[in-house]
Amino acid sequence: MKIAVLPGDGIGSEIMAQAVKVLRALAKDGLKLEMEEAPVGGAAYDALGDPLPAATLKLARDADAILFGAVGGWKYDTLPRAKRPEQALLGLRKELGLFANLRPAKVFPELVAASTLRPEVVSGMDILIVRELTGDIYFGQPRGVRKLENGEREGFDTMRYSESEVRRIAHSGFRAAAKRAKKLCSVDKCNVLETSQLWREVVTEVAKEYPGVALSHMYVDNAAMQLLRDPKQFDVIVTGNMFGDILSDEASMLTGSIGMLPSASLDANNKGMYEPIHGSAPDIAGKDLANPLATILSAAMMLRYSFNQDGVAGRIEDAVTKVLARGLRTPDIYSPGTEKVGTVQMGDAVVAAL
Ligand code: IPM
Ligand code: MG
């Protein structure tokens, strides 16, 4: 198993070091894996003038899976768009055809108290957001800032989805739901947007191939509200790139912290890039404050989806549960009565629990 390790910026290198430590511990136990690291994002821009250098893209292409940290930082915010760290992430997704983004939001019983919602609302919640990742307004052309006749500037982006793009992500959603509680909610803005109208039609067509899965549709504004009102009504949510970006951040907070949530971005053959759903958190970078669990859980998803190592993935997840049950908490999930630990200590604890 050849893994490209791309730590990135901000807390990226700190959290990645913990996930690598966990994978090394498993390698000692006989798991055959090879890891190679490369710069990406702002780190790559600083070193090579390009957020996604050709060598990094090649490493990612040649690998069987990619473990990604996070990219971005204040000092890059004023760069031209093509040089910004986020372009590395978007470029990898697009170049590698990673169109299916799976973002599970599951509440660990130990962390119910860390959520800002009442325990009875979130406890037992287990949602999977299937977000389309290579289309929509993120990539639609034309886009830009132009000068109008009256002299003022106008910014514009294009939301677009082809039938085949909707169809393949709908299949990802239905397949995922079929393996879970068999409920799929497709989220769109069909009351306003043409793109969403087509989205809804295509998803409804695909549903005929999955008679065992109950399909429902919801407008995105309502979905944002329902996620807070009664998150347990959802099993799998399938949605477009931008709605999925927003709803998955919202869903993450139901679980207590965005620092807990892993994700998988898969191509048509289940080759994948695995990353925490949180960002580079420059405000806490280098302070040993970041929660490495989302990255460690991303490594578990990698073993499960790209390498068919369900058993080993389960071992990592169990180790995380054990560490939480012992009361260890990084600051983002700390509550009185638990033990506050740093990034490194949390990683060590997971390795010890393995
Ligand atoms: C995410 C992030 C990215 C996105 C950014 C960093 C480009 O927010 O993975 O959710 O918008 O997709
Ligand atoms: Mg996001």
Side-chain angles (χ1 to χ4, degrees), residues 53-290:
T56 300
L57 181 58
K58 180 169 189 317
L59 179 72
R61 256 192 225 288
D62 295 347
D64 301 308
I66 302 140
L67 207 49
F68 190 95
V71 290
W74 299 309
K75 70 177 215 203
Y76 310 109
D77 284 350
T78 49
L79 289 174
R81 181 161 308 280
K83 297 286 182 192
R84 286 197 210 157
E86 289 77 8
Q87 290 307 308
L89 192 51
L90 299 175
L92 281 164
R93 289 171 179 171
K94 195 71 178 173
E95 290 291 325
L96 303 181
L98 307 171
F99 68 89
N101 185 214
L102 311 185
R103 299 190 160 186
K106 193 172 166 170
V107 174
F108 284 83
E110 294 79 10
L111 295 185
V112 166
S115 175
T116 47
L117 270 77
R118 287 201 304 272
E120 67 271 23
V121 176
V122 293
S123 99
M125 178 195 113
D126 181 359
I127 300 175
L128 175 67
I129 296 186
V130 177
R131 168 188 176 195
E132 199 290 327
L133 206 57
T134 53
D136 202 355
I137 196 165
Y138 268 57
F139 294 97
Q141 293 292 342
R143 57 184 286 162
V145 177
R146 63 187 161 206
K147 203 66 167 258
L148 296 177
E149 270 168 25
N150 69 4
E152 73 165 339
R153 286 170 306 156
E154 175 189 63
F156 58 100
D157 295 272
T158 307
M159 176 180 272
R160 61 197 316 159
Y161 264 125
S162 70
E163 250 179 293
S164 57
E165 285 176 304
V166 179
R167 191 163 292 119
R168 67 180 180 177
I169 195 68
H171 279 290
S172 305
F174 279 107
R175 276 198 302 267
K179 285 196 209 140
R180 295 173 38 112
K182 304 189 168 34
K183 277 179 15 186
L184 181 67
C185 180
S186 170
V187 171
D188 62 38
K189 187 71 186 172
C190 175
N191 50 346
V192 176
L193 303 174
E194 301 296 327
T195 317
S196 282
Q197 179 80 43
L198 180 70
W199 173 281
R200 192 175 282 213
E201 273 170 39
V202 174
V203 173
T204 305
E205 262 168 49
V206 173
K208 294 188 192 129
E209 296 175 46
Y210 299 86
V213 175
L215 171 68
S216 61
H217 299 277
M218 203 179 268
Y219 298 142
V220 62
D221 50 345
N222 186 25
M225 185 269 276
Q226 294 294 340
L227 270 172
L228 296 183
R229 194 186 68 85
D230 176 22
K232 281 185 263 185
Q233 70 184 282
F234 296 106
D235 175 27
V236 179
I237 291 175
V238 65
T239 189
N241 203 346
M242 186 153 79
F243 297 156
D245 178 44
I246 299 167
L247 293 181
S248 59
D249 265 35
E250 185 188 2
S252 76
M253 247 343 267
L254 303 172
T255 70
S257 170
I258 196 169
M260 291 298 301
L261 294 200
S263 78
S265 307
L266 305 176
D267 74 3
N269 306 310
N270 277 358
K271 171 174 172 169
M273 178 157 83
Y274 299 83
E275 54 176 310
I277 92 154
H278 60 70
S280 56
D283 53 328
I284 59 164
K287 297 182 182 160
D288 196 39
L289 291 172

